[in-house]
Amino acid sequence: MALSDFQTQKLLHLFRTFFDTDHNGTVEKSDFDMVGDKICKLRGWPVGSAEYVGTHQRLAAVWDGISVHDIDHDGHISEAEWLKLWADAIAKKDKTDAWIRDYQEFMFKAQDISGDGTVDEEEFATLYACLGMPAQQCKEAFNKLTLGGNGIVTKDIFQQRFQEFIASDDKSAPGNYLFGCGKF
């Protein structure tokens, strides 16, 4: 299945903003280590703590799942490889790869800073600001993500919005705002 132009734009935003942490044009294991360190620092989890180790283990599992899509076996995922892996994943429909489920789970828990099972605007903006997104842009995105509603995202809503972000070609879908931006 070919990706639409809009899906391509969204997935490249995800690649460039959240996966290619060192901004060298490719994704590699070190990008996951860097984002893990940022999140652990934000959460106050010292090196060697159970939370620190768990965060890095979860991110290593995501990298392991992504790295099998390294078509040229150079140890990096290029933008072209990234887009192909998502086109393949979308084509599978209900057969989501384990690494995608792991990434969804990781991102929800990373956003749920209070640990109450929901994500509010402050948690959303705090995490994404830590990862380099402008805080005001994140707050605006959160309002769109929640449809201006009750101001929280549950795990079920997060999973729905994730699917919308990845697979939807609808430019007005609230899931387009899941990663702090809705303009692609």
Side-chain angles (χ1 to χ4, degrees):
M1 173 183 172
L3 297 170
S4 71
D5 288 343
F6 185 59
Q7 288 171 314
T8 297
Q9 291 169 359
K10 291 189 295 182
L11 292 167
L12 287 176
H13 164 75
L14 186 62
F15 178 93
R16 294 171 181 155
T17 306
F18 296 103
F19 283 83
D20 182 15
T21 309
D22 62 6
H23 307 290
N24 69 353
T26 63
V27 174
E28 52 274 321
K29 171 77 169 71
S30 61
D31 289 307
F32 288 83
D33 296 336
M34 289 170 61
V35 80
D37 288 346
K38 286 181 180 183
I39 290 171
C40 288
K41 182 178 179 181
L42 171 70
R43 301 291 289 272
W45 297 333
V47 174
S49 69
E51 295 89 352
Y52 180 94
V53 171
T55 296
H56 282 273
Q57 286 174 338
R58 284 188 294 280
L59 287 171
V62 173
W63 167 249
D64 289 345
I66 290 173
S67 67
V68 301
H69 299 278
D70 179 10
I71 297 166
D72 58 9
H73 306 289
D74 65 353
H76 307 276
I77 298 294
S78 67
E79 288 184 354
E81 290 167 326
W82 175 257
L83 294 173
K84 181 175 179 353
L85 79 86
W86 282 109
D88 292 348
I90 292 168
K92 291 180 185 178
K93 299 199 189 260
D94 295 331
K95 298 177 183 172
T96 304
D97 291 343
W99 77 264
I100 296 172
R101 290 189 305 274
D102 291 345
Y103 183 67
Q104 284 179 318
E105 180 73 19
F106 173 78
M107 285 303 294
F108 181 78
K109 286 183 177 181
Q111 290 179 25
D112 182 16
I113 295 170
S114 68
D116 67 355
T118 64
V119 176
D120 63 28
E121 181 185 86
E122 182 179 338
E123 291 170 315
F124 184 85
T126 298
L127 175 71
Y128 287 148
C130 167
L131 298 175
M133 305 271 312
Q136 186 58 40
Q137 177 182 311
C138 295
K139 290 178 180 185
E140 292 167 8
F142 189 81
N143 187 51
K144 301 276 189 182
L145 180 69
T146 60
L147 301 171
N150 65 3
I152 61 166
V153 174
T154 64
K155 190 173 183 179
D156 287 342
I157 292 171
F158 182 89
Q159 290 172 337
Q160 291 169 5
R161 299 297 186 255
F162 187 91
Q163 290 304 317
E164 288 173 357
F165 181 88
I166 299 303
S168 177
D169 211 19
D170 177 358
K171 293 181 180 181
S172 65
N176 296 334
Y177 297 90
L178 184 63
F179 292 99
C181 178
K183 297 180 181 175
F184 306 99

